[in-house]
């Protein structure tokens, strides 16, 4: 492991939930390093013309290394999805629209807050101990209470932190770990782009085409997408069903997807 890789991985916090993230980030960097070595070998091969070198590099990036990078990135994408789900779970629920009396009370509270001087308004809300006051503010657009977008966000975040406490800290820690892993992936992707010699626009087009064929499995009430290493599989999307294959084994899947084979070896 080179010094740069060590530095990038050291930014991912050391705790149990980030073990997979560190491994995934390391795998992504390994894929990029393998491609850099491959590019050096191709560029130094006198049997190739420059056109031939460029074609081999882009072909291998498209068919093997970029799909491999995407496969290695999968645990990091899953971590971001988990953070999004966790954030949704701690959001403050919307009020009951059928409760007219409560709706009128919230309207009166917002009118009261809006009538205050700006300096007084934030001080009042920051020190509010009656949750009905805060609920009235965050259940409607901020301007109805005379708040700017930043002020509204501050009041909402304060309410969430007060009500969910430790859970908010856990989610923030998980998000920071995922972002640190993401930074390593961006470095890996940029290394691959530099080795291909493509500009960013051309590389982005190629990256969109670099995909691994989904592994499909028939189930009693539908079609699942097999994810190697996982114990349960999600339902396949319409796009995955359209582009996927029903592989008979992992060996067949890896043989047909050199990118997946590369990521598994990283």
């Amino acid at each position: 492991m080179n010094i740069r890789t060590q530095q990038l991985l050291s930014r991912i916090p050391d705790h149990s939930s980030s073990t997979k993230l560190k491994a995934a980030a390391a795998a992504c960097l390994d894929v990029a390093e393998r491609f850099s070595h491959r590019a050096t070998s191709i560029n130094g091969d006198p049997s190739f013309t420059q056109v031939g070198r460029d074609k081999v590099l882009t072909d291998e990036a498209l068919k093997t290394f970029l799909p491999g990078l995407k496969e290695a990135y999968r645990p990091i994408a899953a971590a971001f999805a988990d953070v999004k789900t966790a954030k949704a779970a701690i959001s403050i629920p919307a009020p009951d629209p059928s409760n007219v009396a409560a709706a009128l009370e919230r309207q009166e509270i917002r009118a009261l807050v809006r009538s205050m001087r700006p300096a007084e308004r934030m001080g009042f809300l920051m020190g509010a101990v009656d949750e009905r006051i805060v609920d009235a503010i965050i259940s409607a657009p901020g301007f109805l209470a005379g708040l700017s977008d930043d002020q509204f966000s501050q009041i909402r975040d304060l309410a969430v932190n007060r009500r969910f406490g430790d859970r908010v800290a856990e989610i923030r820690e998980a998000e920071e770990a995922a972002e640190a892993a993401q930074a390593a992936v961006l470095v890996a992707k940029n290394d691959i782009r530099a080795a291909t010699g493509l500009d960013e626009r051309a590389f982005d087009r190629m990256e969109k085409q670099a995909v691994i064929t989904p592994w499909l499995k028939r189930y009693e009430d539908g079609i699942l997408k097999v994810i190697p290493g996982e114990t349960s599989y999600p339902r396949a999307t319409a796009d995955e069903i359209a582009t996927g294959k029903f592989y008979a084994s992992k060996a067949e899947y890896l043989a047909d997807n050199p990118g997946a084979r590369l990521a598994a070896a990283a």
Side-chain angles (χ1 to χ4, degrees):
M1 184 182 296
N2 59 44
I3 295 176
R4 189 187 66 166
T5 295
Q6 291 177 344
Q7 291 174 335
L8 289 167
L9 296 181
S10 70
R11 298 175 186 174
I12 304 173
D14 285 317
H15 51 74
S16 58
S17 62
S18 65
T19 302
K20 283 187 176 181
L21 292 177
K22 276 201 172 188
C28 290
L29 291 165
D30 183 71
V31 168
E33 186 174 3
R34 287 170 186 253
F35 185 67
S36 294
H37 290 161
R38 179 63 178 144
T40 299
S41 175
I42 292 170
N43 287 326
D45 189 336
S47 66
F48 284 114
T49 64
Q50 188 56 51
V51 173
R53 291 189 186 98
D54 292 343
K55 185 178 187 310
V56 172
L57 279 173
T58 54
D59 282 351
E60 293 198 12
L62 177 64
K63 296 176 182 177
T64 302
F65 290 92
L66 283 176
L69 184 66
K70 290 180 179 180
E71 180 68 9
Y73 174 74
R74 186 164 49 79
I76 301 173
F80 277 113
D82 289 344
V83 166
K84 184 177 180 180
T85 299
K87 283 183 174 181
I90 65 169
S91 61
I92 297 174
D96 179 4
S98 66
N99 191 334
V100 177
L104 291 173
E105 181 183 71
R106 290 192 298 273
Q107 187 176 8
E108 290 177 1
I109 292 172
R110 288 192 291 269
L112 172 65
V113 172
R114 188 172 60 246
S115 70
M116 295 177 178
R117 297 191 306 273
E120 179 187 13
R121 184 181 300 136
M122 282 301 289
F124 172 74
L125 292 174
M126 295 289 284
V129 294
D130 190 330
E131 295 294 347
R132 290 177 299 175
I133 294 173
V134 176
D135 285 344
I137 302 305
I138 63 178
S139 62
F143 69 84
L144 293 179
L147 299 178
S148 67
D149 290 344
D150 287 343
Q151 289 172 330
F152 178 81
S153 295
Q154 188 176 356
I155 297 301
R156 181 193 58 210
D157 292 347
L158 181 66
V160 170
N161 284 324
R162 184 167 61 242
R163 297 179 195 185
F164 297 99
D166 293 342
R167 184 58 181 145
V168 173
E170 291 173 4
I171 294 171
R172 187 177 295 119
E173 184 180 66
E175 185 171 34
E176 289 173 354
E179 288 172 348
Q182 172 92 317
V185 177
L186 292 176
V187 169
K189 185 161 67 171
N190 189 61
D191 284 352
I192 294 176
R193 186 194 66 77
T196 63
L198 297 174
D199 60 37
E200 290 187 11
R201 182 174 296 181
F203 184 78
D204 287 345
R205 286 197 301 268
M206 182 173 68
E207 185 186 7
K208 291 177 181 177
Q209 300 170 21
V211 295
I212 289 175
T213 303
W215 180 357
L216 304 179
K217 182 180 181 66
R218 296 190 188 280
Y219 196 60
E220 52 191 35
D221 62 346
I223 296 175
L224 304 181
K225 178 187 176 183
V226 176
I227 302 175
E230 300 294 333
T231 56
S232 60
Y233 309 135
R235 287 183 177 275
T237 65
D239 286 345
E240 288 167 345
I241 292 173
T243 60
K245 291 184 180 179
F246 293 93
Y247 293 108
S249 65
K250 183 177 180 180
E252 184 180 336
Y253 166 73
L254 292 177
D256 198 36
N257 289 279
R261 187 169 64 249
L262 176 67

